[in-house]
Amino acid sequence: MTTNQSIKPLTAAVNSLGHLEIGGCDTVELAKKYGTPLYVLDKFTIESICREYKTAFKAYPKIRMMYASKALCTIATTQLIAKEGFGFDVVSGGELFTVYKAGVDMSKVLFNGNNKSFDELSLAIDLNTGRISADNFTELEMLNEIARSKNKTVKILLRITPGIECHTHEYIQTGHLDSKFGFDLTQIDNAVELILKNYKNLELTGLHAHIGSQIFETQIYFDEVEILVKEIARLREKFALNLDEINLGGGLGVKYTNADNPPSVNEIAAVIITALENAIQKYRIDPPVVYIEPGRSIISTSGVTLYTVGSSKQVPRGTKYIAVDGGMADNPRPSMYRAEYSAQIANKANFSENLQTVTIAGRFCESGDILIKNIQLPNPEKGDILCVFNTGAYNFSMSSNYNRVQKSCMVLVNNSQSDIIVYRETLEDLISRDVILDGLA
Ligand code: LLP
């Protein structure tokens, strides 16, 4: 079993008070000390999964792990993951700036995205970002122009759409043919020709693909490796071009509920390594450098969100709603993707009696702001601390200020110690960028 197959952080336990503890910290105390909603990240769980990835891919020394920052990007988590030897996939000037400020070796950073702006690309070049994944013809031209004006040569990968369908939510599928991301297979030659003939400030080092997210199938990674290696071999024949890098993207799933059965990191690694060995032999190429960009599987399991239970409503002969003090602004995934989560009452962690089937409602002004439907909890009541598991990925990073509610605080826990890594927004923060116009006050 690897960490992505656990619903709860690896250090989750019940202490002598019957409270849920994480990283040796009583979560009820954390809620009291820092307020709720509160994102809690367990350092041990993050380190464990990073190490599992490294061990699983040991048999392929030319592997390069790049954490996909979009899952969660803060200075502290970046530094923690960098310490484990990972590089970083970034998709905006904001993520780029964060990893730079975190002190990351910029040669280990890859800049992705389907519509990077002039300013973002300029910043990436100024910061000597290791690779830029060029997504389309418009970008190739702009990137070459910026690089030329700075008298620099930029190493790029070509993002391609391999035409692989995976069984995940339509909105998080990216490798299928009708996708906004990357070059279609039929456009690659044209792009390569332009790079070789016209774009003298671009150096093409390899190909990049990403098939989707929250993936439970292993075979599609086999297919992806095959397609990328085949393309590299074909380009070698056609253009005498020796590309020696492929980037497989991210995608490994995690276990949000008992119904989820993601493969282990070891299973994914074994499939990828076998696929590489096969393809290398079949297409007679030297073993390429292989990047992988896991996001969710690195950070999701380490994170939980603590909420305080407030009001409740029993619909006559219908649903019992229990409302918490957060919701779709700190976790938009249930309303966006119908994502499901598991939860526990932190102050009743070993209660198994008085179970009631309830629906956890958020506090935001939309009927769709429901965090969990029909969950069994022990007599939930006002003041209880509800812990929702597996919220480390795509919660904070997709959070908003909807209803003008302050964004939540985030703490890192380890060895019974807790440290704030992102402050809770204040009411003053909320209005700090508002401009007061003359004559309106
Ligand atoms: N690389 C590329 C090019 C990507 O587009 C993504 C995710 C990743 C890596 C990381 O994938 P992961 O290992 O995290 O699955 N907001 C959605 C997920 C969107 C994923 C977008 N791309 C959600 O909350 O489920």
Side-chain angles (χ1 to χ4, degrees):
M1 176 169 155
T2 51
T3 297
N4 65 309
Q5 297 174 308
S6 168
I7 293 180
K8 300 180 183 180
L10 301 181
T11 60
V14 179
N15 67 15
S16 55
L17 300 171
H19 294 177
L20 173 69
E21 80 175 25
I22 295 173
C25 297
D26 184 323
T27 54
V28 180
E29 289 302 316
L30 291 176
K32 222 183 266 168
K33 182 166 178 188
Y34 301 106
T36 54
L38 180 69
Y39 296 111
V40 180
L41 290 185
D42 180 36
K43 184 166 178 256
F44 179 77
T45 304
I46 303 172
E47 289 167 343
S48 300
I49 184 81
C50 289
R51 290 168 196 177
E52 286 161 10
Y53 263 103
K54 285 187 284 187
T55 308
F57 280 96
K58 230 183 189 142
Y60 194 83
K62 291 175 103 173
I63 193 82
R64 303 284 181 270
M65 319 278 179
M66 314 286 277
Y67 166 68
S69 302
K70 74 199 77 174
L72 172 69
C73 185
T74 70
I75 290 188
T77 48
T78 301
Q79 289 175 334
L80 180 55
I81 295 167
K83 262 202 177 135
E84 293 301 319
F86 278 56
F88 293 84
D89 151 31
V90 299
V91 291
S92 67
E95 289 183 0
L96 188 64
F97 186 65
T98 307
V99 300
Y100 171 68
K101 283 291 189 180
V104 166
D105 169 358
M106 294 306 284
S107 71
K108 291 169 79 174
V109 176
L110 168 79
F111 189 17
N112 270 315
N114 73 313
N115 190 21
K116 309 175 197 77
S117 71
F118 182 93
D119 288 350
E120 288 175 320
L121 289 171
S122 303
L123 179 65
I125 295 175
D126 289 342
L127 296 179
N128 296 320
T129 303
R131 297 285 181 278
I132 295 180
S133 182
D135 196 274
N136 51 64
F137 289 109
T138 320
E139 183 175 289
L140 277 179
E141 188 180 353
M142 178 160 65
L143 190 55
N144 185 66
E145 195 44 42
I146 302 172
R148 199 183 54 76
S149 71
K150 295 181 187 290
N151 219 357
K152 285 193 171 178
T153 303
V154 176
K155 291 192 169 155
I156 63 165
L157 303 176
L158 275 192
R159 170 79 183 262
I160 66 163
T161 340
I164 298 172
E165 305 261 345
C166 62
H167 300 110
T168 185
H169 192 287
E170 187 190 344
Y171 292 173
I172 53 180
Q173 229 182 36
T174 39
H176 56 302
L177 283 176
D178 188 1
S179 164
K180 70 169 184 173
F181 294 103
F183 293 90
D184 187 89
L185 290 176
T186 58
Q187 297 172 320
I188 296 179
D189 289 7
N190 195 354
V192 169
E193 256 160 20
L194 280 169
I195 295 165
L196 295 179
K197 284 199 194 125
N198 300 355
Y199 298 148
K200 300 290 178 210
N201 295 74
L202 304 184
E203 180 189 341
L204 181 60
T205 64
L207 301 179
H208 176 204
H210 169 77
I211 30 192
S213 200
Q214 184 62 354
I215 293 176
F216 288 2
E217 302 151 83
T218 53
Q219 178 62 29
I220 53 174
Y221 284 100
F222 194 95
D223 300 345
E224 187 191 15
V225 168
E226 163 85 18
I227 292 170
L228 288 175
V229 172
K230 187 175 169 190
E231 279 306 302
I232 282 192
R234 197 183 60 74
L235 294 172
R236 182 185 56 186
E237 285 302 305
K238 183 160 180 185
F239 297 100
L241 182 64
N242 274 325
L243 303 182
D244 60 359
E245 298 185 341
I246 61 173
N247 182 332
L248 303 175
L252 174 60
V254 301
K255 190 176 177 77
Y256 289 107
T257 70
N258 278 322
D260 294 330
N261 269 316
S264 69
V265 175
N266 300 333
E267 286 169 85
I268 289 288
V271 169
I272 290 175
I273 294 171
T274 308
L276 282 166
E277 285 165 355
N278 276 357
I280 287 165
Q281 213 177 26
K282 183 166 163 192
Y283 297 105
R284 294 160 198 260
I285 65 160
D286 292 331
V289 166
V290 176
Y291 299 97
I292 54 165
E293 301 168 332
R296 188 191 316 265
S297 55
I298 295 290
I299 203 73
S300 183
T301 323
S302 74
V304 304
T305 308
L306 303 178
Y307 300 98
T308 303
V309 172
S311 47
S312 60
K313 171 184 175 178
Q314 174 70 62
V315 177
R317 289 184 299 282
T319 305
K320 173 148 190 190
Y321 289 98
I322 300 290
V324 294
D325 53 357
M328 66 189 294
D330 58 82
N331 182 3
R333 299 193 70 259
S335 46
M336 276 183 90
Y337 317 118
R338 297 203 192 128
E340 296 185 354
Y341 283 87
S342 307
Q344 196 172 11
I345 296 183
N347 48 304
K348 298 174 181 169
N350 52 14
F351 281 32
S352 54
E353 285 147 33
N354 270 332
L355 290 180
Q356 294 179 14
T357 302
V358 297
T359 285
I360 308 295
R363 50 125 343 135
F364 296 91
C365 295
E366 289 204 27
S367 301
D369 179 24
I370 299 293
L371 281 178
I372 305 180
K373 278 190 183 152
N374 298 327
I375 180 173
Q376 289 214 314
L377 292 174
N379 186 29
E381 53 201 338
K382 188 168 164 27
D384 280 345
I385 302 300
L386 185 81
C387 175
V388 177
F389 295 104
N390 241 302
T391 59
Y394 303 113
N395 274 230
F396 176 77
S397 67
M398 294 174 74
S399 63
S400 75
N401 287 119
Y402 185 45
N403 291 172
R404 230 167 206 206
V405 170
Q406 306 95 299
K407 286 193 185 174
S408 302
C409 172
M410 186 181 293
V411 296
L412 186 70
V413 293
N414 188 44
N415 285 335
S416 309
Q417 193 188 318
S418 61
D419 294 297
I420 292 183
I421 60 169
V422 181
Y423 284 112
R424 185 178 303 284
E425 276 180 337
T426 62
L427 290 174
E428 290 297 333
D429 288 335
L430 280 178
I431 59 165
S432 63
R433 287 174 304 119
D434 282 21
V435 177
I436 297 172
L437 294 179
D438 281 353
L440 286 182

